[in-house]
Amino acid sequence: MRTVLAACLLAAATPAAAAEVCSAWRPAENIGQLDTSVVNEASGLDVSAQFPDRLYHNNDSGDGLRFYVSRMNGQDARTVEIEGPKPVDIEELSLGPCGDEGQCLYLGDIGDNPARRDEVAFTIVREVENFPDKVTPLRVVRARYPDGAHNAEAFAIHPDGDLYLVTKPADRLMMNPVPAKVYRLTATQLRATDQVQTFEKVGEIDLPKIMGTRPFPGSIPTAMDISADGRRVILLTYMDALEIGLDLKNGLPPFEQWTEGKDYRVVELDTLPQQEAVSWLPDETGFLYNTELTRGAQTAPIKKVACGG
């Protein structure tokens, strides 16, 4: 009995092996359409694990402090207002743990095309089964980068409660591709509201090298999500997606140490115009993505990509 117990304790203490990426992704399929009368510039997306048949969305810059709830097919969308001042540029949202409050929705006011903002902000709202028309946020966390302003459209919450953000390394002329930087705010920092928090840089993602001969938009990260077990990242670009089989809590080694088919795989997509929203499915069998160009659009599909290997 002691031998069995010792073996069990040893197994529990042994770190989990690194996740390997999907061996083959299937072609994208339509699973629904955005309700463009409500979600008319879709820039963020997440799938609820607590409440079946539920998606969360946010619109891009110019919108107020609010989010949208719809069914998985994008229909029956409704608006939930959040108390607080009008944001600068909410680009992304993410579901994740928020301490004793359970699961929360994080809205990231992180857009900064000219890269001039002194700080960005994250508004945190507890996820509930029935949202009223207007909610009070749990808190708003302000943050700054340690090395000056950055434009960003992609962040996600790790299952351990930390937040990871990937910069959008592009100038206005879209002429100078460089690696994207990855920053972290810890779960402890996300519970603080008394001062501006400072991101910690944890690595880089060399999208120009990874995406190879694709045109420049294929190297620009527009959205991200972290799998429920924390061991995989899906990073959307304007053209395709990148699956990363590395847990961000361990930092990111230089790209030269990554192995294709194990640590990463490029996922070729049915490219949508201005695609800026992505989310893992809760069971991690695939992911969803959609388009931002919905104003006046006749169709605004929600696409599903499933792992087929």
Side-chain angles (χ1 to χ4, degrees):
M1 177 62 73
R2 288 184 180 179
T3 302
V4 173
L5 178 59
C8 291
L9 290 173
L10 179 61
T14 302
E20 291 194 6
V21 296
C22 176
S23 62
W25 286 98
R26 296 174 182 167
E29 59 177 312
N30 286 5
I31 66 160
Q33 298 283 335
L34 291 168
D35 182 348
T36 57
S37 67
V38 180
V39 186
N40 56 26
E41 198 174 354
S43 183
L45 173 69
D46 215 332
V47 184
S48 177
Q50 289 198 96
F51 305 109
D53 195 27
R54 178 182 290 187
L55 296 179
Y56 294 105
H57 315 266
N58 71 272
N59 284 328
D60 202 345
S61 57
D63 204 10
L65 188 58
R66 58 177 69 100
F67 61 94
Y68 307 89
V69 185
S70 78
R71 299 180 61 188
M72 286 289 288
N73 63 5
Q75 297 305 296
D76 300 327
R78 59 180 293 259
T79 304
V80 180
E81 302 283 350
I82 306 173
E83 292 182 359
K86 182 179 173 65
V88 176
D89 187 358
I90 292 180
E91 288 283 1
E92 173 82 293
L93 56 75
S94 181
L95 280 167
C98 48
D100 295 338
E101 289 87 2
Q103 288 289 114
C104 285
L105 192 62
Y106 294 71
L107 286 88
D109 184 2
I110 57 176
D112 187 11
N113 288 330
R116 296 174 182 168
R117 294 178 62 177
D118 293 330
E119 60 186 56
V120 297
F122 299 91
T123 299
I124 305 171
V125 175
R126 188 167 68 89
E127 187 184 26
V128 296
E129 184 172 6
N130 298 302
F131 284 102
D133 292 338
K134 191 168 189 177
V135 297
T136 301
L138 286 176
R139 52 191 167 273
V140 176
V141 177
R142 298 152 53 214
R144 64 168 60 97
Y145 302 99
D147 52 357
H150 293 285
N151 189 24
E153 295 188 2
F155 83 90
I157 305 299
H158 191 281
D160 69 4
D162 289 354
L163 181 152
Y164 292 87
L165 177 147
V166 177
T167 63
K168 184 180 180 184
D171 58 22
R172 286 183 174 275
L173 298 178
M174 301 287 279
M175 295 293 291
N176 299 300
V178 296
K181 297 180 180 181
V182 183
Y183 295 92
R184 173 172 56 201
L185 287 176
T186 66
T188 299
Q189 288 178 296
L190 291 169
R191 290 193 293 269
T193 58
D194 57 341
Q195 59 185 354
V196 180
Q197 303 299 308
T198 300
F199 285 100
E200 172 194 6
K201 184 182 176 185
V202 297
E204 295 187 348
I205 301 174
D206 198 338
L207 283 164
K209 286 185 179 178
I210 295 171
M211 306 308 277
T213 59
R214 286 171 177 78
F216 183 62
S219 297
I220 303 302
T222 59
M224 70 180 288
D225 199 14
I226 298 173
S227 62
D229 64 4
R231 296 163 65 193
R232 293 186 294 161
V233 176
I234 193 73
L235 190 66
L236 190 70
T237 78
Y238 283 122
M239 294 185 66
D240 293 307
L242 174 67
E243 182 191 8
I244 302 173
L246 298 168
D247 193 328
L248 295 180
K249 72 179 183 181
N250 299 322
L252 283 171
F255 174 63
E256 289 73 21
Q257 298 177 19
W258 296 22
T259 301
E260 186 174 8
K262 175 179 177 292
D263 298 320
Y264 76 98
R265 185 177 300 283
V266 176
V267 187
E268 295 186 2
L269 300 180
D270 179 7
T271 305
L272 299 174
Q274 202 80 9
Q275 55 190 31
E276 294 194 4
V278 72
S279 175
W280 283 106
L281 294 169
D283 63 6
E284 304 178 31
T285 59
F287 62 90
L288 308 182
Y289 69 104
N290 59 244
T291 175
E292 183 187 74
L293 291 184
T294 54
R295 292 183 187 273
Q298 293 183 344
T299 60
I302 300 171
K303 298 272 190 177
K304 174 184 175 182
V305 184
C307 177

